[in-house]
Amino acid sequence: MAIQYRPWHDGDDLELLQVWGGPPNPQAEQSRALFRPSSDSPWLRCIVAEDSMDGVAVPVAAAYVFEPKLHDQRLWAYVEVSQAHRGSGIAATLLGMLRHEAGSSPSGVSRLRAKVVPGSDGAAFAAAAGFREIQRSRIIEVAPGALAVPNFDDDDGPQLEEAATGSVELTRAVTDWYNAVHAWDPADMTLGQAQQFLLADTAGAGGAVVLRDKPKSAGGVIAAFALSYTQSRTDAPADVLIGYDTTLRPSEQSAAVASLLAMLVYQYPVQVEVDDSMTALVEVLDPLLATGAARVVAETRVVSD
């Protein structure tokens, strides 16, 4: 086996697809989408491994490392090797090359992290390379009627209302929540970034609802919010981001999340992505998983060296 390494070229994705086949899971599909020629803005380095077959150099593996705009205390890395070439040291060589490249990142950050699927070859390789889990993330589908619908008839009590995704109040609530639940991997998200990455049309946001602790006219504030990333109602579960006011008492956080989620699944199922650091969401969703009123659609782990 004569393996050579070179920078990524346009067209490598099509050649690798023939060798790799379809992505084995949604996480691999998302990760493959970032393969591209190396660049300085954004900073990304992408390397391809070629095997000489019958005198023709054929791409069989690829890897990249890049510097994200958020969560910038670590670089993201990804390595994929064809099934026929696994166990031959190519992945380890590529990872070593990524670590070398990381030493010249503009920010000076060199620690790597990756997202892996439990039980996969990628997870086993990451563990063998010294990566350790720092977060679990799950996509959970919640069935219609999974939670009892709360009573919002009290004019002085909690109120559910639609919100404009461009609202400054909502943007601030989203920003504060995001930064609080990502203390394990700080984002330092600004209001502008919250708009760009979570609330804008270009981010896929299709609408928002908020739960206030009391009417807005009486000084009510946002206790929980939900952002929909499904543009039109179908039979498929809507993709929803649920957040909450992390300054509330833990019991109040969970109660607000449960009330909002109950309304969201009154008639239709939803899909929610939840990290273990989102404690109020976990507290509401885990009992639903235990009773079968919700199910895990996908699970990934963030690992770091």
Side-chain angles (χ1 to χ4, degrees), residues 83-127:
Q83 189 71 42
H85 289 75
R86 292 176 186 175
S88 60
I90 295 176
T93 299
L94 284 169
L95 179 59
M97 296 174 77
L98 294 186
R99 283 176 164 149
H100 175 75
E101 293 289 348
S104 61
S105 70
S107 65
V109 173
S110 59
R111 292 194 67 185
L112 303 181
R113 67 175 153 211
K115 189 173 283 190
V116 299
V117 174
S120 67
D121 288 348
F125 170 71

Side-chain angles (χ1 to χ4, degrees), residues 180-204:
V181 300
H182 287 92
W184 60 275
D185 188 21
D188 296 325
M189 178 181 276
T190 64
L191 297 181
Q193 289 171 328
Q195 271 293 322
Q196 178 184 356
F197 294 120
L198 297 175
L199 289 160
D201 292 343
T202 52

Side-chain angles (χ1 to χ4, degrees), residues 5-6 8-9 11-25 27-36 46-51 53 58-64 78-86 90-91 94 121:
Y5 299 88
R6 61 163 175 81
W8 178 278
H9 297 159
D12 283 339
D13 53 339
L14 298 178
E15 292 196 58
L16 284 165
L17 184 60
Q18 296 185 41
V19 177
W20 287 344
N25 51 61
Q27 181 54 46
E29 183 176 15
Q30 293 176 16
S31 297
R32 286 182 181 183
L34 289 173
F35 280 119
R36 65 195 65 181
C46 189
I47 305 166
V48 171
E50 292 181 326
D51 189 6
M53 300 179 182
V58 178
V60 296
Y64 62 72
Y78 180 70
V79 178
E80 186 166 356
V81 180
S82 72
Q83 189 71 42
H85 289 75
R86 292 176 186 175
I90 295 176
L94 284 169
D121 288 348

Side-chain angles (χ1 to χ4, degrees), residues 139-142 237-241 265 269-273 295 297:
I139 296 177
I140 296 176
E141 180 182 325
V142 184
D239 291 318
V240 175
L241 175 68
V265 298
V270 300
Q271 279 191 171
V272 182
E273 184 168 2
R295 68 183 184 95
V297 176

